[in-house]
Amino acid sequence: MTAPEATHVAVGEVEDVAADGLRWLLGAARETPGGGLAWPAGPSDDALHPMLYSGTAGTVPVLLEAWRHFGDDSYADAALRAARELAARVDDLDDDSLYFGRTGLALVLRTLQEELGDTAAGAAADRALALVRSRFDGTRWGSLFELMGGNAGIGLGALLTGDPELAVLALEPYLRTAERTANGVHWAHRPDTDARMHHLSHGTLGIAVALARVGAATGRTDLLDLGLTAVRDVVARDEAGPEGFLVRHSTPQFRPDVIDPVSYGWCHGPAGDAQVFRALRDVTSDPAWTALADRCWHTVTHSGLPRRLRPGFWDNNGRCCGTAGVLALACDRIAEQGDDQDTRDFAGVLVTDLVARAVRDADGARWSNFDHRSTPGDLEPQTGWAMGGAGIVRELLRFVRVARGGSPRYAFTWPDQPPVPA
């Protein structure tokens, strides 16, 4: 395990940085016609993005988190103003997916209806799902065919938004498009590549977790069984056993000129793989999945992160590809396993690194990721969930609660991160 720093940052300081991050996010918001609020991906971006991945829909969850955490209604008011903008964007999107399109908006709007009583948001969620259903071609919604941009995410989002029939409709095509492998099945994430991705964001595990959760919730054992068969393919590719778990990004390697063959975050590494195994534990009650999640954690904590060991290694602070996504898993494990001091120490290492890398000034706090292929390498700070302040602040606030013995449950449960037990 990566050795903890001699002194971890104090919990109160973490909370202060999170509050500064919220102040910067609110300062980056743009007012829209009708009194709404929207966010660009970054301060210099003229476009206002509604998406869950890097736009307004992905910022709403941290506003709800801040409302719950601080008891400050101004954050709920900002979330309601964001709902107006999301409702206005439901009809003009070209994308229907969970992370990049209309299904993600529907999920956030439904949450605002349930959490804040916004009936207009609920009506917009219904309209969004109806539009998603109308745009299905019988097999897919677009070129992507995975969790973030394709059927798997639409199915999982529809289930969580209250439309199990649409969820099944989205996932049934995987039954007839699965490609048999030596140990299971997999799918092409898009039609124009020979590479087969293996992990949560764009690969087999993202499809598998949607199949398993929708299959279990709707009594479709064929979908559940297909999901478990897909996971077997990925487990057979492990190169770090018996203590660890590490599977390559893709086979053959997708874009080998710019993508490393292995990574460790939520999107393409064991931090995300562990979330899939946690979900399968909950679906099947099989302790074997807990053991696999433990192996993922072993690999993450022995990888060297969050140190920047070489150019291109761990250059990201964010929830998708970086430190905040690993922190989410650490807090899940603390909540589920109690006083494991090694896990608490490693969570402290992650938080200390995030606090140290924050840029703080009169405008608040934000984080800049790094691109070792560019000069200068510091990228503009982002606002959203995936690479920006919203995703980081959300995890910092949760860490503060967990460290103080408070509730580890989120105000908004991310669709592919199973909730910890109450």
PDB file of all heavy atoms in Angstrom, residues 1 4 8 11 297 301 327 330-331 333-352 399-406:
ATOM      1  N   MET A   1       0.838  -1.189   0.000  1.00  0.00           N
ATOM      2  CA  MET A   1       0.000   0.000   0.000  1.00  0.00           C
ATOM      3  C   MET A   1       0.873   1.238   0.000  1.00  0.00           C
ATOM      4  O   MET A   1       1.924   1.266   0.633  1.00  0.00           O
ATOM      5  CB  MET A   1      -0.925  -0.003   1.229  1.00  0.00           C
ATOM      6  CG  MET A   1      -1.832   1.211   1.327  1.00  0.00           C
ATOM      7  SD  MET A   1      -3.046   1.061   2.662  1.00  0.00           S
ATOM      8  CE  MET A   1      -4.118  -0.180   1.969  1.00  0.00           C
ATOM      9  N   PRO A   4       1.056   6.322   3.823  1.00  0.00           N
ATOM     10  CA  PRO A   4       0.359   7.574   4.079  1.00  0.00           C
ATOM     11  C   PRO A   4       1.332   8.700   4.351  1.00  0.00           C
ATOM     12  O   PRO A   4       2.461   8.489   4.793  1.00  0.00           O
ATOM     13  CB  PRO A   4      -0.496   7.260   5.322  1.00  0.00           C
ATOM     14  CG  PRO A   4       0.037   6.011   5.893  1.00  0.00           C
ATOM     15  CD  PRO A   4       0.798   5.296   4.831  1.00  0.00           C
ATOM     16  N   HIS A   8      -1.893  14.130   7.517  1.00  0.00           N
ATOM     17  CA  HIS A   8      -3.020  14.326   6.624  1.00  0.00           C
ATOM     18  C   HIS A   8      -3.648  15.678   6.900  1.00  0.00           C
ATOM     19  O   HIS A   8      -3.615  16.186   8.019  1.00  0.00           O
ATOM     20  CB  HIS A   8      -4.067  13.232   6.827  1.00  0.00           C
ATOM     21  CG  HIS A   8      -3.617  11.887   6.372  1.00  0.00           C
ATOM     22  ND1 HIS A   8      -4.220  10.722   6.778  1.00  0.00           N
ATOM     23  CD2 HIS A   8      -2.621  11.509   5.535  1.00  0.00           C
ATOM     24  CE1 HIS A   8      -3.618   9.692   6.222  1.00  0.00           C
ATOM     25  NE2 HIS A   8      -2.654  10.145   5.469  1.00  0.00           N
ATOM     26  N   VAL A  11      -9.747  17.565   8.704  1.00  0.00           N
ATOM     27  CA  VAL A  11     -11.071  17.426   8.101  1.00  0.00           C
ATOM     28  C   VAL A  11     -11.724  18.792   7.903  1.00  0.00           C
ATOM     29  O   VAL A  11     -12.378  19.038   6.874  1.00  0.00           O
ATOM     30  CB  VAL A  11     -11.954  16.509   8.975  1.00  0.00           C
ATOM     31  CG1 VAL A  11     -13.382  16.481   8.450  1.00  0.00           C
ATOM     32  CG2 VAL A  11     -11.386  15.097   9.009  1.00  0.00           C
ATOM     33  N   TRP A 297      -9.061  -3.335  -4.931  1.00  0.00           N
ATOM     34  CA  TRP A 297      -8.551  -2.344  -3.987  1.00  0.00           C
ATOM     35  C   TRP A 297      -7.063  -2.574  -3.708  1.00  0.00           C
ATOM     36  O   TRP A 297      -6.294  -1.609  -3.600  1.00  0.00           O
ATOM     37  CB  TRP A 297      -9.369  -2.415  -2.701  1.00  0.00           C
ATOM     38  CG  TRP A 297      -9.017  -1.358  -1.702  1.00  0.00           C
ATOM     39  CD1 TRP A 297      -8.505  -1.548  -0.453  1.00  0.00           C
ATOM     40  CD2 TRP A 297      -9.158   0.060  -1.858  1.00  0.00           C
ATOM     41  NE1 TRP A 297      -8.317  -0.338   0.181  1.00  0.00           N
ATOM     42  CE2 TRP A 297      -8.708   0.657  -0.657  1.00  0.00           C
ATOM     43  CE3 TRP A 297      -9.611   0.874  -2.896  1.00  0.00           C
ATOM     44  CZ2 TRP A 297      -8.700   2.041  -0.469  1.00  0.00           C
ATOM     45  CZ3 TRP A 297      -9.605   2.253  -2.719  1.00  0.00           C
ATOM     46  CH2 TRP A 297      -9.159   2.815  -1.515  1.00  0.00           C
ATOM     47  N   THR A 301      -4.275   0.396  -4.383  1.00  0.00           N
ATOM     48  CA  THR A 301      -3.462   0.944  -3.295  1.00  0.00           C
ATOM     49  C   THR A 301      -1.990   0.599  -3.415  1.00  0.00           C
ATOM     50  O   THR A 301      -1.164   1.187  -2.712  1.00  0.00           O
ATOM     51  CB  THR A 301      -3.994   0.468  -1.925  1.00  0.00           C
ATOM     52  OG1 THR A 301      -4.031  -0.965  -1.899  1.00  0.00           O
ATOM     53  CG2 THR A 301      -5.384   1.011  -1.659  1.00  0.00           C
ATOM     54  N   LEU A 327     -11.276   8.019  -4.424  1.00  0.00           N
ATOM     55  CA  LEU A 327     -11.790   8.426  -3.119  1.00  0.00           C
ATOM     56  C   LEU A 327     -13.219   7.934  -2.910  1.00  0.00           C
ATOM     57  O   LEU A 327     -13.585   7.518  -1.795  1.00  0.00           O
ATOM     58  CB  LEU A 327     -11.722   9.948  -2.986  1.00  0.00           C
ATOM     59  CG  LEU A 327     -12.255  10.548  -1.690  1.00  0.00           C
ATOM     60  CD1 LEU A 327     -11.504  10.007  -0.475  1.00  0.00           C
ATOM     61  CD2 LEU A 327     -12.195  12.071  -1.744  1.00  0.00           C
ATOM     62  N   ALA A 330     -12.910   4.428  -1.838  1.00  0.00           N
ATOM     63  CA  ALA A 330     -12.369   4.356  -0.483  1.00  0.00           C
ATOM     64  C   ALA A 330     -13.454   4.612   0.556  1.00  0.00           C
ATOM     65  O   ALA A 330     -13.559   3.887   1.562  1.00  0.00           O
ATOM     66  CB  ALA A 330     -11.233   5.364  -0.318  1.00  0.00           C
ATOM     67  N   CYS A 331     -14.287   5.624   0.330  1.00  0.00           N
ATOM     68  CA  CYS A 331     -15.348   5.925   1.295  1.00  0.00           C
ATOM     69  C   CYS A 331     -16.427   4.846   1.297  1.00  0.00           C
ATOM     70  O   CYS A 331     -17.018   4.560   2.350  1.00  0.00           O
ATOM     71  CB  CYS A 331     -15.944   7.302   1.004  1.00  0.00           C
ATOM     72  SG  CYS A 331     -14.831   8.668   1.417  1.00  0.00           S
ATOM     73  N   ARG A 333     -15.786   1.705   0.924  1.00  0.00           N
ATOM     74  CA  ARG A 333     -15.194   0.625   1.713  1.00  0.00           C
ATOM     75  C   ARG A 333     -15.176   0.966   3.198  1.00  0.00           C
ATOM     76  O   ARG A 333     -15.412   0.087   4.041  1.00  0.00           O
ATOM     77  CB  ARG A 333     -13.779   0.328   1.196  1.00  0.00           C
ATOM     78  CG  ARG A 333     -13.782  -0.280  -0.208  1.00  0.00           C
ATOM     79  CD  ARG A 333     -12.368  -0.574  -0.680  1.00  0.00           C
ATOM     80  NE  ARG A 333     -11.728  -1.595   0.148  1.00  0.00           N
ATOM     81  CZ  ARG A 333     -11.860  -2.902  -0.035  1.00  0.00           C
ATOM     82  NH1 ARG A 333     -12.634  -3.385  -1.001  1.00  0.00           N
ATOM     83  NH2 ARG A 333     -11.223  -3.754   0.755  1.00  0.00           N
ATOM     84  N   ILE A 334     -14.891   2.207   3.537  1.00  0.00           N
ATOM     85  CA  ILE A 334     -14.942   2.612   4.944  1.00  0.00           C
ATOM     86  C   ILE A 334     -16.347   2.429   5.490  1.00  0.00           C
ATOM     87  O   ILE A 334     -16.549   1.912   6.601  1.00  0.00           O
ATOM     88  CB  ILE A 334     -14.482   4.072   5.098  1.00  0.00           C
ATOM     89  CG1 ILE A 334     -12.985   4.188   4.779  1.00  0.00           C
ATOM     90  CG2 ILE A 334     -14.759   4.581   6.505  1.00  0.00           C
ATOM     91  CD1 ILE A 334     -12.495   5.620   4.633  1.00  0.00           C
ATOM     92  N   ALA A 335     -17.348   2.830   4.712  1.00  0.00           N
ATOM     93  CA  ALA A 335     -18.732   2.722   5.164  1.00  0.00           C
ATOM     94  C   ALA A 335     -19.161   1.275   5.352  1.00  0.00           C
ATOM     95  O   ALA A 335     -19.922   0.955   6.271  1.00  0.00           O
ATOM     96  CB  ALA A 335     -19.661   3.418   4.163  1.00  0.00           C
ATOM     97  N   GLU A 336     -18.671   0.383   4.492  1.00  0.00           N
ATOM     98  CA  GLU A 336     -19.122  -1.007   4.520  1.00  0.00           C
ATOM     99  C   GLU A 336     -18.276  -1.902   5.419  1.00  0.00           C
ATOM    100  O   GLU A 336     -18.762  -2.934   5.881  1.00  0.00           O
ATOM    101  CB  GLU A 336     -19.122  -1.567   3.100  1.00  0.00           C
ATOM    102  CG  GLU A 336     -20.179  -0.925   2.210  1.00  0.00           C
ATOM    103  CD  GLU A 336     -20.164  -1.441   0.790  1.00  0.00           C
ATOM    104  OE1 GLU A 336     -19.191  -2.122   0.395  1.00  0.00           O
ATOM    105  OE2 GLU A 336     -21.142  -1.161   0.069  1.00  0.00           O
ATOM    106  N   GLN A 337     -17.038  -1.514   5.671  1.00  0.00           N
ATOM    107  CA  GLN A 337     -16.136  -2.401   6.410  1.00  0.00           C
ATOM    108  C   GLN A 337     -15.699  -1.834   7.752  1.00  0.00           C
ATOM    109  O   GLN A 337     -14.919  -2.473   8.461  1.00  0.00           O
ATOM    110  CB  GLN A 337     -14.912  -2.710   5.547  1.00  0.00           C
ATOM    111  CG  GLN A 337     -15.288  -3.411   4.248  1.00  0.00           C
ATOM    112  CD  GLN A 337     -14.078  -3.792   3.414  1.00  0.00           C
ATOM    113  OE1 GLN A 337     -12.946  -3.743   3.878  1.00  0.00           O
ATOM    114  NE2 GLN A 337     -14.324  -4.180   2.180  1.00  0.00           N
ATOM    115  N   GLY A 338     -16.162  -0.650   8.099  1.00  0.00           N
ATOM    116  CA  GLY A 338     -15.875  -0.126   9.423  1.00  0.00           C
ATOM    117  C   GLY A 338     -14.486   0.462   9.545  1.00  0.00           C
ATOM    118  O   GLY A 338     -13.972   1.072   8.613  1.00  0.00           O
ATOM    119  N   ASP A 339     -13.863   0.251  10.679  1.00  0.00           N
ATOM    120  CA  ASP A 339     -12.623   0.937  11.023  1.00  0.00           C
ATOM    121  C   ASP A 339     -11.398   0.195  10.508  1.00  0.00           C
ATOM    122  O   ASP A 339     -10.540  -0.253  11.279  1.00  0.00           O
ATOM    123  CB  ASP A 339     -12.533   1.118  12.541  1.00  0.00           C
ATOM    124  CG  ASP A 339     -13.572   2.089  13.066  1.00  0.00           C
ATOM    125  OD1 ASP A 339     -13.865   3.049  12.339  1.00  0.00           O
ATOM    126  OD2 ASP A 339     -14.071   1.880  14.178  1.00  0.00           O
ATOM    127  N   ASP A 340     -11.292   0.075   9.191  1.00  0.00           N
ATOM    128  CA  ASP A 340     -10.077  -0.452   8.569  1.00  0.00           C
ATOM    129  C   ASP A 340      -9.096   0.709   8.461  1.00  0.00           C
ATOM    130  O   ASP A 340      -9.251   1.600   7.617  1.00  0.00           O
ATOM    131  CB  ASP A 340     -10.409  -1.024   7.191  1.00  0.00           C
ATOM    132  CG  ASP A 340      -9.194  -1.624   6.498  1.00  0.00           C
ATOM    133  OD1 ASP A 340      -8.072  -1.137   6.733  1.00  0.00           O
ATOM    134  OD2 ASP A 340      -9.369  -2.561   5.711  1.00  0.00           O
ATOM    135  N   GLN A 341      -8.080   0.719   9.306  1.00  0.00           N
ATOM    136  CA  GLN A 341      -7.190   1.870   9.386  1.00  0.00           C
ATOM    137  C   GLN A 341      -6.392   2.074   8.105  1.00  0.00           C
ATOM    138  O   GLN A 341      -6.117   3.206   7.706  1.00  0.00           O
ATOM    139  CB  GLN A 341      -6.241   1.742  10.582  1.00  0.00           C
ATOM    140  CG  GLN A 341      -5.500   3.039  10.915  1.00  0.00           C
ATOM    141  CD  GLN A 341      -6.447   4.187  11.212  1.00  0.00           C
ATOM    142  OE1 GLN A 341      -7.395   4.040  11.988  1.00  0.00           O
ATOM    143  NE2 GLN A 341      -6.227   5.329  10.577  1.00  0.00           N
ATOM    144  N   ASP A 342      -6.019   0.978   7.428  1.00  0.00           N
ATOM    145  CA  ASP A 342      -5.287   1.127   6.175  1.00  0.00           C
ATOM    146  C   ASP A 342      -6.121   1.880   5.141  1.00  0.00           C
ATOM    147  O   ASP A 342      -5.607   2.745   4.418  1.00  0.00           O
ATOM    148  CB  ASP A 342      -4.892  -0.240   5.623  1.00  0.00           C
ATOM    149  CG  ASP A 342      -3.715  -0.852   6.371  1.00  0.00           C
ATOM    150  OD1 ASP A 342      -3.019  -0.112   7.093  1.00  0.00           O
ATOM    151  OD2 ASP A 342      -3.513  -2.072   6.230  1.00  0.00           O
ATOM    152  N   THR A 343      -7.412   1.541   5.046  1.00  0.00           N
ATOM    153  CA  THR A 343      -8.274   2.222   4.088  1.00  0.00           C
ATOM    154  C   THR A 343      -8.455   3.684   4.473  1.00  0.00           C
ATOM    155  O   THR A 343      -8.428   4.579   3.616  1.00  0.00           O
ATOM    156  CB  THR A 343      -9.642   1.517   4.004  1.00  0.00           C
ATOM    157  OG1 THR A 343      -9.439   0.162   3.588  1.00  0.00           O
ATOM    158  CG2 THR A 343     -10.553   2.204   3.001  1.00  0.00           C
ATOM    159  N   ARG A 344      -8.643   3.948   5.752  1.00  0.00           N
ATOM    160  CA  ARG A 344      -8.776   5.338   6.192  1.00  0.00           C
ATOM    161  C   ARG A 344      -7.492   6.123   5.906  1.00  0.00           C
ATOM    162  O   ARG A 344      -7.536   7.285   5.489  1.00  0.00           O
ATOM    163  CB  ARG A 344      -9.118   5.387   7.681  1.00  0.00           C
ATOM    164  CG  ARG A 344     -10.545   4.933   7.978  1.00  0.00           C
ATOM    165  CD  ARG A 344     -10.879   5.057   9.454  1.00  0.00           C
ATOM    166  NE  ARG A 344     -12.253   4.652   9.713  1.00  0.00           N
ATOM    167  CZ  ARG A 344     -13.307   5.459   9.616  1.00  0.00           C
ATOM    168  NH1 ARG A 344     -13.134   6.733   9.283  1.00  0.00           N
ATOM    169  NH2 ARG A 344     -14.509   5.016   9.870  1.00  0.00           N
ATOM    170  N   ASP A 345      -6.348   5.490   6.127  1.00  0.00           N
ATOM    171  CA  ASP A 345      -5.083   6.165   5.839  1.00  0.00           C
ATOM    172  C   ASP A 345      -4.954   6.484   4.348  1.00  0.00           C
ATOM    173  O   ASP A 345      -4.514   7.576   3.968  1.00  0.00           O
ATOM    174  CB  ASP A 345      -3.906   5.303   6.287  1.00  0.00           C
ATOM    175  CG  ASP A 345      -3.702   5.301   7.790  1.00  0.00           C
ATOM    176  OD1 ASP A 345      -4.249   6.203   8.463  1.00  0.00           O
ATOM    177  OD2 ASP A 345      -2.999   4.398   8.291  1.00  0.00           O
ATOM    178  N   PHE A 346      -5.352   5.527   3.522  1.00  0.00           N
ATOM    179  CA  PHE A 346      -5.226   5.771   2.075  1.00  0.00           C
ATOM    180  C   PHE A 346      -6.212   6.844   1.627  1.00  0.00           C
ATOM    181  O   PHE A 346      -5.881   7.673   0.771  1.00  0.00           O
ATOM    182  CB  PHE A 346      -5.434   4.477   1.294  1.00  0.00           C
ATOM    183  CG  PHE A 346      -5.000   4.596  -0.139  1.00  0.00           C
ATOM    184  CD1 PHE A 346      -3.657   4.581  -0.468  1.00  0.00           C
ATOM    185  CD2 PHE A 346      -5.933   4.744  -1.149  1.00  0.00           C
ATOM    186  CE1 PHE A 346      -3.246   4.703  -1.792  1.00  0.00           C
ATOM    187  CE2 PHE A 346      -5.532   4.864  -2.479  1.00  0.00           C
ATOM    188  CZ  PHE A 346      -4.190   4.849  -2.794  1.00  0.00           C
ATOM    189  N   ALA A 347      -7.417   6.840   2.168  1.00  0.00           N
ATOM    190  CA  ALA A 347      -8.363   7.924   1.867  1.00  0.00           C
ATOM    191  C   ALA A 347      -7.762   9.265   2.260  1.00  0.00           C
ATOM    192  O   ALA A 347      -7.917  10.265   1.535  1.00  0.00           O
ATOM    193  CB  ALA A 347      -9.684   7.688   2.590  1.00  0.00           C
ATOM    194  N   GLY A 348      -7.059   9.293   3.397  1.00  0.00           N
ATOM    195  CA  GLY A 348      -6.386  10.522   3.811  1.00  0.00           C
ATOM    196  C   GLY A 348      -5.324  10.961   2.823  1.00  0.00           C
ATOM    197  O   GLY A 348      -5.151  12.158   2.557  1.00  0.00           O
ATOM    198  N   VAL A 349      -4.571  10.013   2.256  1.00  0.00           N
ATOM    199  CA  VAL A 349      -3.582  10.328   1.236  1.00  0.00           C
ATOM    200  C   VAL A 349      -4.260  10.965   0.026  1.00  0.00           C
ATOM    201  O   VAL A 349      -3.782  11.979  -0.525  1.00  0.00           O
ATOM    202  CB  VAL A 349      -2.820   9.053   0.821  1.00  0.00           C
ATOM    203  CG1 VAL A 349      -1.960   9.305  -0.413  1.00  0.00           C
ATOM    204  CG2 VAL A 349      -1.951   8.549   1.962  1.00  0.00           C
ATOM    205  N   LEU A 350      -5.370  10.387  -0.420  1.00  0.00           N
ATOM    206  CA  LEU A 350      -6.075  10.898  -1.587  1.00  0.00           C
ATOM    207  C   LEU A 350      -6.580  12.317  -1.344  1.00  0.00           C
ATOM    208  O   LEU A 350      -6.439  13.206  -2.200  1.00  0.00           O
ATOM    209  CB  LEU A 350      -7.249   9.976  -1.937  1.00  0.00           C
ATOM    210  CG  LEU A 350      -6.896   8.523  -2.272  1.00  0.00           C
ATOM    211  CD1 LEU A 350      -8.168   7.696  -2.396  1.00  0.00           C
ATOM    212  CD2 LEU A 350      -6.076   8.433  -3.550  1.00  0.00           C
ATOM    213  N   VAL A 351      -7.195  12.535  -0.182  1.00  0.00           N
ATOM    214  CA  VAL A 351      -7.754  13.841   0.128  1.00  0.00           C
ATOM    215  C   VAL A 351      -6.650  14.884   0.279  1.00  0.00           C
ATOM    216  O   VAL A 351      -6.777  16.025  -0.202  1.00  0.00           O
ATOM    217  CB  VAL A 351      -8.620  13.753   1.402  1.00  0.00           C
ATOM    218  CG1 VAL A 351      -8.983  15.139   1.909  1.00  0.00           C
ATOM    219  CG2 VAL A 351      -9.884  12.959   1.107  1.00  0.00           C
ATOM    220  N   THR A 352      -5.566  14.511   0.936  1.00  0.00           N
ATOM    221  CA  THR A 352      -4.447  15.434   1.088  1.00  0.00           C
ATOM    222  C   THR A 352      -3.907  15.863  -0.273  1.00  0.00           C
ATOM    223  O   THR A 352      -3.585  17.035  -0.501  1.00  0.00           O
ATOM    224  CB  THR A 352      -3.332  14.781   1.928  1.00  0.00           C
ATOM    225  OG1 THR A 352      -3.844  14.487   3.229  1.00  0.00           O
ATOM    226  CG2 THR A 352      -2.127  15.689   2.058  1.00  0.00           C
ATOM    227  N   PHE A 399     -16.442  12.610   2.055  1.00  0.00           N
ATOM    228  CA  PHE A 399     -15.331  12.217   2.915  1.00  0.00           C
ATOM    229  C   PHE A 399     -15.427  12.900   4.278  1.00  0.00           C
ATOM    230  O   PHE A 399     -15.186  12.268   5.314  1.00  0.00           O
ATOM    231  CB  PHE A 399     -14.000  12.571   2.248  1.00  0.00           C
ATOM    232  CG  PHE A 399     -12.825  12.423   3.176  1.00  0.00           C
ATOM    233  CD1 PHE A 399     -12.243  11.188   3.390  1.00  0.00           C
ATOM    234  CD2 PHE A 399     -12.315  13.523   3.862  1.00  0.00           C
ATOM    235  CE1 PHE A 399     -11.168  11.042   4.263  1.00  0.00           C
ATOM    236  CE2 PHE A 399     -11.254  13.387   4.738  1.00  0.00           C
ATOM    237  CZ  PHE A 399     -10.675  12.152   4.942  1.00  0.00           C
ATOM    238  N   VAL A 400     -15.765  14.183   4.291  1.00  0.00           N
ATOM    239  CA  VAL A 400     -15.885  14.907   5.562  1.00  0.00           C
ATOM    240  C   VAL A 400     -16.930  14.242   6.450  1.00  0.00           C
ATOM    241  O   VAL A 400     -16.707  14.020   7.649  1.00  0.00           O
ATOM    242  CB  VAL A 400     -16.234  16.382   5.304  1.00  0.00           C
ATOM    243  CG1 VAL A 400     -16.617  17.095   6.605  1.00  0.00           C
ATOM    244  CG2 VAL A 400     -15.055  17.098   4.639  1.00  0.00           C
ATOM    245  N   ARG A 401     -18.071  13.896   5.875  1.00  0.00           N
ATOM    246  CA  ARG A 401     -19.124  13.243   6.672  1.00  0.00           C
ATOM    247  C   ARG A 401     -18.657  11.894   7.201  1.00  0.00           C
ATOM    248  O   ARG A 401     -18.878  11.553   8.367  1.00  0.00           O
ATOM    249  CB  ARG A 401     -20.398  13.075   5.849  1.00  0.00           C
ATOM    250  CG  ARG A 401     -21.125  14.365   5.551  1.00  0.00           C
ATOM    251  CD  ARG A 401     -22.574  14.107   5.156  1.00  0.00           C
ATOM    252  NE  ARG A 401     -22.693  13.120   4.090  1.00  0.00           N
ATOM    253  CZ  ARG A 401     -22.518  13.389   2.810  1.00  0.00           C
ATOM    254  NH1 ARG A 401     -22.181  14.605   2.431  1.00  0.00           N
ATOM    255  NH2 ARG A 401     -22.665  12.445   1.896  1.00  0.00           N
ATOM    256  N   VAL A 402     -18.031  11.104   6.339  1.00  0.00           N
ATOM    257  CA  VAL A 402     -17.563   9.783   6.762  1.00  0.00           C
ATOM    258  C   VAL A 402     -16.514   9.919   7.862  1.00  0.00           C
ATOM    259  O   VAL A 402     -16.526   9.184   8.855  1.00  0.00           O
ATOM    260  CB  VAL A 402     -17.010   9.006   5.545  1.00  0.00           C
ATOM    261  CG1 VAL A 402     -16.289   7.746   5.985  1.00  0.00           C
ATOM    262  CG2 VAL A 402     -18.144   8.648   4.582  1.00  0.00           C
ATOM    263  N   ALA A 403     -15.601  10.870   7.709  1.00  0.00           N
ATOM    264  CA  ALA A 403     -14.551  11.063   8.707  1.00  0.00           C
ATOM    265  C   ALA A 403     -15.127  11.479  10.057  1.00  0.00           C
ATOM    266  O   ALA A 403     -14.548  11.168  11.108  1.00  0.00           O
ATOM    267  CB  ALA A 403     -13.561  12.108   8.212  1.00  0.00           C
ATOM    268  N   ARG A 404     -16.266  12.158  10.031  1.00  0.00           N
ATOM    269  CA  ARG A 404     -16.896  12.612  11.269  1.00  0.00           C
ATOM    270  C   ARG A 404     -17.942  11.635  11.791  1.00  0.00           C
ATOM    271  O   ARG A 404     -18.644  11.918  12.762  1.00  0.00           O
ATOM    272  CB  ARG A 404     -17.548  13.979  11.039  1.00  0.00           C
ATOM    273  CG  ARG A 404     -16.543  15.104  10.842  1.00  0.00           C
ATOM    274  CD  ARG A 404     -17.229  16.393  10.453  1.00  0.00           C
ATOM    275  NE  ARG A 404     -16.280  17.516  10.419  1.00  0.00           N
ATOM    276  CZ  ARG A 404     -16.534  18.706   9.895  1.00  0.00           C
ATOM    277  NH1 ARG A 404     -17.732  18.937   9.340  1.00  0.00           N
ATOM    278  NH2 ARG A 404     -15.625  19.657   9.903  1.00  0.00           N
ATOM    279  N   GLY A 405     -18.062  10.484  11.145  1.00  0.00           N
ATOM    280  CA  GLY A 405     -19.027   9.484  11.590  1.00  0.00           C
ATOM    281  C   GLY A 405     -20.431   9.727  11.109  1.00  0.00           C
ATOM    282  O   GLY A 405     -21.378   9.132  11.623  1.00  0.00           O
ATOM    283  N   GLY A 406     -20.599  10.585  10.097  1.00  0.00           N
ATOM    284  CA  GLY A 406     -21.918  10.879   9.559  1.00  0.00           C
ATOM    285  C   GLY A 406     -22.333   9.900   8.479  1.00  0.00           C
ATOM    286  O   GLY A 406     -21.671   8.880   8.232  1.00  0.00           O
TER     287      GLY A 406
END
